[in-house]
């Protein structure tokens, strides 16, 4: 399954290591991490061009095994979306045996 980060960028949910609030990375060791990722060419800004430099528009930081992404979508929304994928898969697994057992009882 895929997680949409905004502006046409999606990542595989199994590749996501962490989803953080961008505010945690504006100062201190967090900002050092961002500088390191940018210098290594692993930082990708998914914000639309017109707001790409706007610090207020950056809401979340998504860390994968190969890249780190900046997104205008809140970390809570991204978390909820990623959980919806797995909840839906669980519901489908739970529903399949139920449908089979009902057909045998009728």
């Amino acid at each position: 399954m895929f997680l949409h980060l905004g502006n046409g960028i999606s990542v595989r949910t199994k590749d996501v290591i962490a989803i953080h609030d961008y505010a945690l990375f504006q100062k201190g060791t967090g900002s050092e991490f961002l500088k390191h990722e940018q210098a290594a060419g692993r930082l990708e800004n998914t914000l639309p061009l017109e707001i790409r430099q706007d610090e207020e528009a950056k809401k979340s930081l998504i860390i994968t095994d190969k890249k780190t992404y900046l997104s205008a979508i809140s970390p809570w929304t991204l978390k909820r979306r990623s959980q919806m994928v797995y909840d839906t898969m669980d519901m489908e697994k739970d529903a399949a045996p139920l449908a089979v057992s009902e057909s045998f009882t009728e």
Side-chain angles (χ1 to χ4, degrees):
M1 295 294 171
F2 291 88
L3 179 62
H4 178 70
L5 306 179
N7 204 23
I9 306 291
S10 296
V11 295
R12 292 176 62 122
T13 52
K14 72 177 194 171
D15 294 338
V16 175
I17 296 169
I19 299 172
H20 292 288
D21 190 330
Y22 176 73
L24 298 172
F25 292 83
Q26 290 181 308
K27 296 180 183 175
T29 56
S31 66
E32 291 173 23
F33 171 77
L34 284 179
K35 288 176 189 172
H36 179 267
E37 290 295 288
Q38 189 168 21
R42 290 190 299 257
L43 186 64
E44 187 165 336
N45 192 334
T46 69
L47 281 70
L49 290 174
E50 59 273 8
I51 61 169
R52 195 161 277 191
Q53 300 304 319
D54 183 4
E55 291 296 311
E56 297 275 325
K58 297 172 185 171
K59 303 293 183 200
S60 60
L61 187 84
I62 302 89
I63 302 170
T64 68
D65 54 349
K66 294 183 181 165
K67 287 191 172 191
T68 299
Y69 298 88
L70 296 173
S71 177
I73 301 171
S74 81
W76 317 118
T77 300
L78 292 172
K79 180 181 180 215
R80 189 172 56 245
R81 286 181 184 176
S82 67
Q83 287 176 331
M84 284 173 40
V85 168
Y86 290 111
D87 289 346
T88 302
M89 289 170 51
D90 288 342
M91 286 172 34
E92 287 173 1
K93 287 179 188 175
D94 292 343
L98 182 62
V100 170
S101 64
E102 287 179 29
S103 66
F104 284 118
T105 59
E106 291 180 12

